[in-house]
Amino acid sequence: MTTIALTGGIASGKTTISNRLRELGAVIIDADEIAREIVEPGQPVLEAIAKQFGEGILEADGSLNRAALADIVFADEDARRALNDLTHPEIRRITEERIETERAADPSTIFVHDIPLLAETRSNYDYDEIWVADAPAEVRVDRLIADRGMTREEALARIEAQASDEERRRIADVVLDTTRPISDTIELVDELYSRLRITDRLDDDEISYDGIPVTTPREERISDD
């Protein structure tokens, strides 16, 4: 079994990478998808969030008013931390449960944990590699304005609420530059996935990595100094 953590800031192009890995046969475990599941009406986590932040974060039908909650947590670091404390343990539990289920069915499965806030949460998951979708903040601001209709101020607030580009690069084994054409990104993902399949079949001393674009090897990670 191989486990990859795929992370990246908002509008970094991470979804393009995740979708391609799914097409290639990887099992994608999407932290955002799980996060949505655990705040459905009637779920204990949603009840805990309402207790923490007030009934104003609920719609009339009892569902989560995401915009109201976002207005609170993106403006207040303590509130954002409190929300994470409520949601992350359950996301972690479900993730581990799904990995165990898939591994029991196929021990050779390649798992990709699509987790946007890996650098922020300092997750204790044990990954074989961490891949980072990378694009400068200013590029991501432009994408958020063009693709999601945000104002520049809204886009900057979302980006500034997350880890910096440098913080994500520090934890990376692989950095994928998504400012290049999408076709280049897809080609790179294909090459990296092929390497994973080879690694899964052979011993480490039998593998040649010549030409494989692992752009940030473990031994070359930026230190915290």
Side-chain angles (χ1 to χ4, degrees):
M1 181 185 75
T2 302
T3 56
I4 303 299
L6 173 62
T7 193
I10 188 171
S12 64
K14 181 173 58 60
T15 299
T16 296
I17 296 167
S18 178
N19 288 342
R20 182 55 178 170
L21 287 167
R22 181 181 284 108
E23 292 173 353
L24 292 170
V27 172
I28 308 298
I29 299 177
D30 189 330
D32 278 349
E33 180 180 293
I34 296 173
R36 289 190 292 271
E37 293 174 8
I38 66 175
V39 294
E40 290 294 322
Q43 293 295 319
V45 171
L46 179 58
E47 295 174 4
I49 292 173
K51 183 177 180 180
Q52 174 75 32
F53 297 103
E55 298 294 320
I57 57 92
L58 297 177
E59 301 280 10
D61 63 0
S63 61
L64 178 64
N65 183 327
R66 298 180 185 279
L69 182 59
D71 286 343
I72 295 172
V73 300
F74 283 110
D76 185 331
E77 184 175 348
D78 290 337
R80 187 164 61 251
R81 187 178 298 113
L83 176 64
N84 291 342
D85 288 343
L86 293 173
T87 59
H88 288 170
E90 183 66 0
I91 293 172
R92 183 178 296 110
R93 183 191 69 79
I94 293 174
T95 296
E96 292 172 350
E97 183 179 89
R98 293 184 180 177
I99 287 176
E100 289 305 315
T101 299
E102 294 285 352
R103 180 166 55 184
D106 181 4
S108 66
T109 297
I110 292 177
F111 292 97
V112 177
H113 189 191
D114 185 333
I115 178 168
L117 301 181
L118 181 66
E120 290 84 346
T121 60
R122 306 290 184 178
S123 170
N124 290 322
Y125 292 113
D126 184 15
Y127 298 112
D128 293 303
E129 292 183 0
I130 296 174
W131 293 10
V132 172
D134 187 68
E138 193 58 38
V139 171
R140 293 186 285 122
V141 167
D142 291 341
R143 289 174 179 173
L144 289 170
I145 293 171
D147 299 338
R148 307 194 193 183
M150 291 187 184
T151 66
R152 181 173 180 80
E153 291 71 24
E154 290 170 337
L156 285 170
R158 295 297 180 94
I159 289 173
E160 290 171 359
Q162 296 182 341
S164 68
D165 296 338
E166 189 61 36
E167 287 173 307
R168 277 186 290 270
R169 292 177 191 134
R170 284 177 179 170
I171 65 172
D173 295 289
V174 176
V175 176
L176 297 100
D177 178 5
T178 64
T179 62
R180 300 187 298 179
I182 290 179
S183 59
D184 288 357
T185 299
I186 295 299
E187 182 179 355
L188 176 56
V189 171
D190 289 356
E191 292 180 18
L192 290 167
Y193 189 80
S194 295
R195 173 178 61 82
L196 291 178
R197 300 305 299 175
I198 293 171
T199 304
D200 195 46
R201 293 193 301 267
L202 301 174
D203 292 332
D204 289 346
D205 59 1
E206 297 175 0
I207 303 171
S208 172
Y209 292 99
D210 292 345
I212 300 298
V214 181
T215 57
T216 313
R218 185 180 300 275
E219 65 271 18
E220 294 179 13
R221 288 181 183 174
I222 299 172
S223 71
D224 290 326
D225 295 336

